[in-house]
Amino acid sequence: MPIYQFTVTEDSISARKKAAIAEAITATHCEVTGAPSHYVSVVFIDAPKGNLFLAGKSVSGVRMVGTIRRRSEALKRELLTKLAQAWSDVTGEPLTEVVMFLVEVPGFQVFEGGELLREAEDDPEARV
């Protein structure tokens, strides 16, 4: 169910390390949540140089929005911190360069594998 969407500028280190980032994000999500790896989607959107802005100024780098099922605050804090560290470990870029967001949705708002998902707290494999 989770989907992690990265917007990366074409001149960033992240743009050159997509496969390694996807592996690290998947492993981290599974470690923290207990989800099997075949549930985790990682998508990269390439942004040409000059198409990513911060405070009205063009910047290079990465932005991530991850959509996950509802979880406890403690788990979300752990997950986001470990996702950022995994990204930094792969790219060698400092944590101060990454911007990541987590958005949560109820399981019933996700259709996958031919059915609506159950809530994380009702999933025997999931940590909540």
Side-chain angles (χ1 to χ4, degrees):
M1 178 277 134
I3 183 164
Y4 293 101
Q5 182 174 321
F6 287 84
T7 301
V8 296
T9 56
E10 62 190 6
D11 59 337
S12 67
I13 293 171
S14 299
R16 296 185 298 274
K17 297 194 173 200
K18 292 176 186 173
I21 292 168
E23 288 178 18
I25 295 300
T26 299
T28 300
H29 181 89
C30 294
E31 170 198 324
V32 174
T33 68
S37 62
H38 65 271
Y39 283 2
V40 183
S41 295
V42 178
V43 178
F44 292 90
I45 308 298
D46 294 318
K49 190 173 183 176
N51 283 0
L52 183 63
F53 291 81
L54 179 63
K57 306 236 186 290
S58 178
V59 295
S60 294
V62 63
R63 301 292 184 269
M64 183 211 80
V65 176
T67 305
I68 63 171
R69 286 187 291 178
R70 284 190 290 214
R71 306 292 179 128
S72 69
E73 180 181 339
L75 186 134
K76 288 182 287 193
R77 287 177 179 273
E78 177 186 0
L79 178 60
L80 195 52
T81 301
K82 287 185 175 180
L83 289 169
Q85 188 62 58
W87 171 85
S88 180
D89 290 346
V90 169
T91 65
E93 294 179 321
L95 289 172
T96 55
E97 297 297 314
V98 71
V99 178
M100 294 182 164
F101 302 88
L102 281 181
V103 178
E104 63 181 2
V105 297
F108 73 84
Q109 288 182 288
V110 179
F111 189 85
E112 187 173 64
E115 61 186 15
L116 293 175
L117 294 187
R118 60 182 125 186
E119 300 305 320
E121 65 262 17
D122 298 327
D123 188 336
E125 295 181 33
R127 284 186 49 211
V128 292

